[in-house]
Amino acid sequence: MSNEEFRAAMSRLASGVVLVTAQEASLDPDDPQAPSGEDVGMTATAFMSVSLDPPLVLVSLREGSRMDDLLDEQPLWAVSVLSESQRHIAGRFAMKGRVSDRLLFADIPYVRGEATGAPVVGGALATLECRTERRVAAGDHTLVIGRVLTAALPSPDGGPLAYFKGRYRQLG
């Protein structure tokens, strides 16, 4: 089986689209004048619920990606479940060779999660704040299992943004 055959087969599995976010620590936490850390975001389609008791979720991150490296150091992160009207957010945070994350967040409505300080996107269907429980190496990815600290439904109406056959889609 080739990589292309495997990729084509897996593209037939529809998945939801989320934005995973975290806040990078300040470069000098001892200096109150130092700028706060930068917000980091990444679009993910490999995200799932793992357990109800305790509440756990899993996200798959490309090994060595900025988010993988950050979540190796920073245990607090958030997930925004994107709605069908937030395709532009998914595309923006999925770009390769993109501009700085600071610019990507510039015109996106968000608030800081109370438990994590990570950005949670306004208008998302659901938001979760998490603390990493375990990291598992899996081929060229890292599976990050997080304990859900908070869950909210800021915009429970509307349909989810889906990913199918290599494109963002709407249900229906």
Side-chain angles (χ1 to χ4, degrees):
M1 171 189 63
S2 70
N3 286 350
E4 291 76 28
E5 290 169 322
F6 179 65
R7 186 175 288 120
M10 294 311 297
S11 77
R12 290 344 189 242
L13 176 64
S15 60
V17 182
V18 301
L19 183 67
V20 180
T21 57
Q23 187 176 45
E24 207 168 35
S26 171
L27 294 176
D28 189 357
D30 296 328
D31 179 2
Q33 303 293 12
S36 62
E38 187 173 43
D39 293 325
V40 178
M42 182 200 88
T43 301
T45 57
F47 176 78
M48 63 182 281
S49 169
V50 173
S51 169
L52 185 60
D53 186 19
L56 299 173
V57 293
L58 177 147
V59 64
S60 180
L61 307 174
R62 186 176 37 81
E63 183 181 26
S65 67
R66 183 165 184 207
M67 188 61 73
D68 182 35
D69 292 343
L70 177 56
L71 294 189
D72 193 29
E73 298 173 10
Q74 160 62 283
L76 299 174
W77 44 285
V79 174
S80 298
V81 178
L82 299 180
S83 72
E84 59 195 3
S85 66
Q86 294 176 316
R87 178 185 305 224
H88 65 288
I89 295 173
R92 178 182 293 189
F93 285 90
M95 291 186 307
K96 293 184 177 172
R98 62 191 196 194
V99 297
S100 79
D101 285 71
R102 181 178 48 79
L103 295 174
L104 295 178
F105 280 102
D107 63 347
I108 293 175
Y110 69 89
V111 297
R112 297 229 169 261
E114 291 181 24
T116 63
V120 290
V121 177
L125 295 178
T127 60
L128 305 166
E129 291 186 87
C130 306
R131 181 184 66 241
T132 299
E133 291 278 308
R134 186 168 182 199
R135 294 171 52 87
V136 179
D140 59 2
H141 278 65
T142 303
L143 305 179
V144 180
I145 300 169
R147 180 180 293 258
V148 178
L149 305 173
T150 69
L153 303 174
S155 184
D157 296 327
L161 182 60
Y163 192 72
F164 181 68
K165 289 187 177 180
R167 294 182 49 214
Y168 298 118
R169 315 264 182 164
Q170 294 177 218
L171 294 183

